[in-house]
């Protein structure tokens, strides 16, 4: 039996990693006890162990900055690895991955103390009069040991973005890297061990056998980025341990174009195409298909062709063009099968052009007017998320018909809509569900450090980035200290019952329930 074309962590080593991470978390917790003999475990022979108390705020700050240093000091090696694995251009890696991780790692270091309210719990003022003397607070506590399972398509940012949340929360974590990008995963295993504290952050490499063993173990939070099929397997494994999860999935993210109010159609096409060609369409937020009035399809397709020619004057697959490749032969074969099986017609420069190095030219597919929306919905291109440089264009009679097409499908990770009319925007917003919504652009929402990103339903649950990721790895623990001086308030709760105590507990039956209008029900519904 031949060895797999990637490194694998031995199964017994996975068990040791799990045990050591839990020991680290317990050690950090015990070190807070005055009588505890636990130490921060500083070692004179391991230079990447920080000189701060284990999992303390200074420790977390240091580890976040180490992630920034890891990316900055090894950018060339990271770019080379991702080019070998994915054919991803250096500029794309620096823009979408290296630069983003450095920026967010520094922000995490700067904000972590604020996120945990300065290291002290948030005090709570009790609203009930008889509880005014209670001492109450809400703590933000680490859930425990985390598991980050990262994908192959944007492996740097989608490894460190969740890991930064775990670091900020004070959670040790195991990081399962993708075997589909072996050069990157091998490099990252070495760098994480070099830059981060190995007591708290450990890498697991391998394929199905290794991840199966990982999922047999109990974790305190799992953060998975990938597809719905694998998410169901991971969710089933997590359910056995009642482990909470963040699922960052995908889906078929539509583009709705309203030509009467979208402005310059060439700008619209350029923005749609740019969102599609990143990593050759292999990203969860790529525009999956376009809904546009049938009469506007020729103009839109022409504008798409113009944009592609401007982006790639010699064609996307020319050696001088900065354009990625399909990740594996299996995915390459899958995408070719989609183009061979669709009933739509291919359009645009270089459509359905392939190269031996797994290159596929960006391809526009237009469905004939003779096909109904129901028939189009059953086409091979509409069965699941494409994850490919294919852009189906679907003609509709009206905005309402396009919105209804979206409504009848699973909730996407993002809906893109091109219209500058506020009434049209509101109409689409109120009529649809999606994890995110972007007007008049594509892809660019990922650049924001201030808004949450995540799915709903089939596109996942939970949120990131930065503070939102931190929140995923923490929970709120309420703490109440009720002094003995409050005992006079509790006389009626103790047996035996008296007429006075019975009257007290029956008081709820005499409370007047207000009308909708009196509590603000006249305001517009959400």
């Amino acid at each position: 039996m031949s060895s797999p074309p990637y490194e694998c962590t031995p199964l017994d080593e996975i068990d040791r990693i799990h045990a050591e991470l839990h020991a680290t978390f317990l050690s950090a917790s015990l070190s807070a006890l005055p009588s505890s003999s636990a130490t921060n475990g500083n070692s004179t022979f391991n230079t990447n162990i920080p000189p701060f108390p284990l999992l303390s705020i200074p420790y977390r700050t240091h580890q976040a900055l180490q992630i920034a240093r890891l990316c900055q000091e090894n950018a060339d090696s990271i770019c080379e690895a991702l080019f070998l694995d994915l054919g991803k251009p250096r500029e794309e890696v620096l823009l979408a991955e290296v630069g983003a991780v450095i920026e967010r790692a520094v922000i995490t270091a700067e904000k972590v103390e604020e996120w945990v309210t300065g290291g002290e719990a948030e005090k709570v003022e009790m609203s009930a009069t008889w509880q005014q003397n209670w001492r109450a607070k809400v703590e933000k506590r680490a859930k425990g040991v985390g598991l980050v399972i990262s994908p192959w398509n944007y492996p740097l940012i989608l490894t460190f973005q969740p890991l930064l949340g775990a670091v900020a929360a004070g959670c040790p974590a195991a990081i399962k890297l993708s075997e589909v990008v072996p050069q990157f995963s091998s490099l990252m295993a070495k760098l994480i061990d070099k830059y981060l504290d190995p007591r708290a952050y450990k890498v697991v490499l391998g394929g199905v056998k290794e991840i199966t063993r990982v999922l047999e173990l109990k974790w305190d939070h799992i953060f998975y980025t990938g597809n719905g099929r694998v998410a169901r397997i991971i969710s089933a494994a997590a359910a056995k341990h009642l482990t909470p999860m963040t699922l960052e999935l995908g889906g078929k993210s539509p583009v709705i174009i309203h030509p009467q109010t979208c402005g310059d159609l060439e700008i619209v096409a350029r923005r749609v195409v740019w969102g599609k060609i990143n990593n050759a369409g292999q990203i969860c937020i790529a525009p999956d298909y376009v809904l546009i009035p049938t009469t506007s399809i020729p103009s839109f397709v022409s504008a798409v062709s113009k944009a592609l020619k401007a982006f790639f004057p010699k064609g996307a697959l020319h050696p001088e063009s900065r354009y990625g490749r399909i990740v594996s032969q299996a995915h390459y074969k899958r995408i070719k099968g989609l183009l061979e099986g669709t009933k739509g017609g291919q359009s645009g420069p270089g459509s359905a052009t392939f190269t031996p190095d797994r290159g596929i030219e960006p391809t526009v597919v237009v469905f004939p007017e003779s096909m109904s929306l129901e028939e189009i919905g059953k086409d091979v291109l509409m069965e699941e998320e494409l994850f490919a440089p294919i852009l189906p264009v679907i003609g509709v009679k009206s905005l309402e018909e396009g919105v209804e097409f979206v409504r009848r499908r699973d909730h996407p990770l993002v809906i893109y809509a091109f219209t500058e009319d506020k009434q049209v925007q509101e109409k689409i917003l109120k009529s649809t569900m999606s994890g995110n919504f972007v007007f008049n652009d594509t892809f660019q929402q990922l650049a924001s450090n201030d808004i949450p990103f995540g799915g709903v339903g089939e596109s996942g649950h939970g949120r990131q980035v930065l503070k939102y990721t931190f929140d995923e790895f923490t929970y709120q623990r309420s703490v109440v200290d009720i002094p003995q001086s409050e005992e006079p308030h509790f006389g009626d709760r103790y047996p035996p019952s008296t007429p006075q105590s019975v009257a007290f507990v029956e008081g709820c039956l005499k409370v007047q329930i207000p009308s909708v209008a009196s509590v603000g029900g006249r305001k517009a519904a959400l």
Side-chain angles (χ1 to χ4, degrees):
M1 183 176 179
S2 61
S3 300
Y6 47 79
E7 295 182 49
C8 297
T9 303
L11 299 187
D12 58 349
E13 177 64 18
I14 292 173
D15 293 342
R16 284 195 295 272
I17 287 172
H18 179 264
E20 289 171 10
L21 291 176
H22 279 276
T24 293
F25 186 70
L26 180 59
S27 175
S29 301
L30 289 175
S31 66
L33 298 176
S35 60
S36 173
S37 60
T39 68
N40 66 11
N42 286 344
S43 171
T44 57
F45 62 85
N46 200 326
T47 58
N48 59 330
I49 291 180
F52 307 107
L54 191 61
L55 302 184
S56 65
I57 290 178
Y59 174 99
R60 302 178 206 182
T61 301
H62 176 269
Q63 294 296 280
L65 293 175
Q66 284 294 95
I67 290 174
R69 294 186 183 99
L70 182 158
C71 293
Q72 190 175 71
E73 294 171 7
N74 299 278
D76 289 342
S77 297
I78 292 168
C79 289
E80 181 182 2
L82 288 178
F83 179 78
L84 291 173
D85 284 330
L86 292 168
K88 189 176 285 193
R90 174 184 172 86
E91 295 89 336
E92 193 172 310
V93 176
L94 293 175
L95 176 66
E97 302 215 61
V98 174
V101 173
I102 293 172
E103 178 186 31
R104 287 173 178 170
V106 172
I107 292 173
T108 297
E110 294 171 343
K111 294 288 188 178
V112 61
E113 187 167 3
E114 176 186 321
W115 294 345
V116 294
T117 63
E120 297 179 0
E122 179 183 351
K123 294 181 178 179
V124 177
E125 296 294 331
M126 308 301 278
S127 58
T129 303
W130 62 281
Q131 299 171 1
Q132 291 297 307
N133 293 326
W134 296 10
R135 293 183 288 271
K137 61 183 180 180
V138 177
E139 298 179 327
K140 293 178 182 177
R141 304 282 293 188
K143 287 181 178 179
V145 179
L147 170 63
V148 173
I149 306 174
S150 60
W152 54 262
N153 59 330
Y154 281 79
L156 187 76
I157 184 71
L158 296 179
T159 293
F160 285 119
Q161 197 154 270
L163 184 60
L164 282 168
V167 168
C171 294
I175 305 106
K176 171 59 180 70
L177 300 171
S178 175
E179 74 278 13
V180 180
V181 281
Q183 299 293 331
F184 170 83
S185 294
S186 178
L187 171 67
M188 207 48 51
K190 297 179 178 68
L191 293 180
I192 288 175
D193 187 62
K194 177 182 177 181
Y195 281 81
L196 300 187
D197 184 351
R199 300 168 301 169
Y201 311 104
K202 294 180 178 292
V203 168
V204 175
L205 298 173
V208 173
K209 183 169 65 173
E210 288 72 29
I211 188 60
T212 298
R213 181 60 189 138
V214 167
L215 292 174
E216 290 172 353
L217 303 170
K218 179 177 173 58
W219 306 91
D220 299 306
H221 190 86
I222 298 176
F223 196 116
Y224 168 73
T225 304
N227 61 61
R229 179 184 59 82
V230 176
R232 284 173 166 80
I233 297 172
I234 295 172
S235 296
K240 294 180 181 179
H241 300 292
L242 298 180
T243 300
M245 300 184 66
T246 303
L247 295 179
E248 190 61 67
L249 309 179
K252 298 187 74 63
S253 297
V255 178
I256 300 173
I257 300 176
H258 192 242
Q260 299 94 315
T261 62
C262 71
D264 190 332
L265 193 60
E266 289 193 356
I267 293 178
V268 172
R270 186 157 62 242
R271 294 184 174 192
V272 171
V273 169
W274 183 76
K276 191 64 175 179
I277 63 174
N278 274 277
N279 200 30
Q282 299 168 110
I283 183 171
C284 59
I285 61 162
D288 198 273
Y289 62 95
V290 173
L291 293 161
I292 188 171
T294 304
T295 54
S296 297
I297 288 178
S299 298
F300 176 72
V301 171
S302 175
V304 167
S305 297
K306 183 176 180 179
L308 285 170
K309 289 177 181 176
F311 293 163
F312 308 114
K314 297 182 179 181
L317 301 182
H318 191 277
E320 294 179 9
S321 297
R322 302 302 187 191
Y323 179 69
R325 295 299 186 262
I326 304 306
V327 66
S328 68
Q329 195 64 33
H331 282 279
Y332 182 71
K333 184 178 179 181
R334 174 186 66 85
I335 295 168
K336 289 183 69 175
L338 292 176
L339 289 172
E340 291 167 358
T342 181
K343 295 179 181 178
Q346 296 164 16
S347 176
S351 290
T353 301
F354 308 94
T355 57
D357 62 346
R358 305 190 307 276
I360 298 180
E361 191 90 16
T363 302
V364 176
V365 175
V366 179
F367 292 100
E369 290 187 47
S370 59
M371 289 183 69
S372 68
L373 287 181
E374 183 177 358
E375 290 172 324
I376 293 172
K378 296 177 181 178
D379 188 83
V380 65
L381 294 184
M382 301 304 294
E383 289 179 352
E384 60 182 9
E385 182 179 9
L386 290 172
F387 234 64
I390 305 172
L391 186 65
V393 177
I394 302 171
V396 294
K397 297 175 183 177
S398 64
L399 174 66
E400 290 76 15
E401 188 175 56
V403 169
E404 186 59 26
F405 186 84
V406 174
R407 282 165 53 89
R408 291 182 178 274
R409 309 181 74 81
D410 290 332
H411 305 317
L413 182 58
V414 58
I415 294 176
Y416 300 110
F418 286 84
T419 172
E420 297 178 353
D421 186 292
K422 299 303 180 185
Q423 290 184 335
V424 175
Q425 289 183 359
E426 280 299 305
K427 186 173 186 178
I428 302 173
L429 270 177
K430 290 183 177 181
S431 303
T432 58
M433 282 186 67
S434 60
N436 309 270
F437 205 115
V438 178
F439 285 111
N440 300 313
D441 204 357
T442 65
F443 199 89
Q444 202 62 38
Q445 71 272 22
L446 290 186
S448 173
N449 293 326
D450 305 303
I451 57 177
F453 177 82
V456 58
E458 286 288 319
S459 55
H461 54 76
R463 291 294 180 267
Q464 52 180 328
V465 300
L466 294 171
K467 171 65 164 55
Y468 299 101
T469 320
F470 164 83
D471 289 339
E472 294 291 299
F473 284 94
T474 59
Y475 73 97
Q476 293 181 316
R477 180 166 74 169
S478 60
V479 181
V480 181
D481 182 358
I482 304 173
Q484 290 190 3
S485 60
E486 295 297 289
E487 189 65 13
H489 293 294
F490 302 144
D492 289 336
R493 76 180 183 180
Y494 299 123
S497 298
T498 65
Q500 179 182 342
S501 65
V502 171
F504 172 75
V505 297
E506 289 183 348
C508 63
L509 304 178
K510 300 176 182 179
V511 172
Q512 183 176 357
I513 299 175
S515 66
V516 173
S518 67
V519 294
R522 288 171 292 186
K523 295 180 181 179
L526 292 177

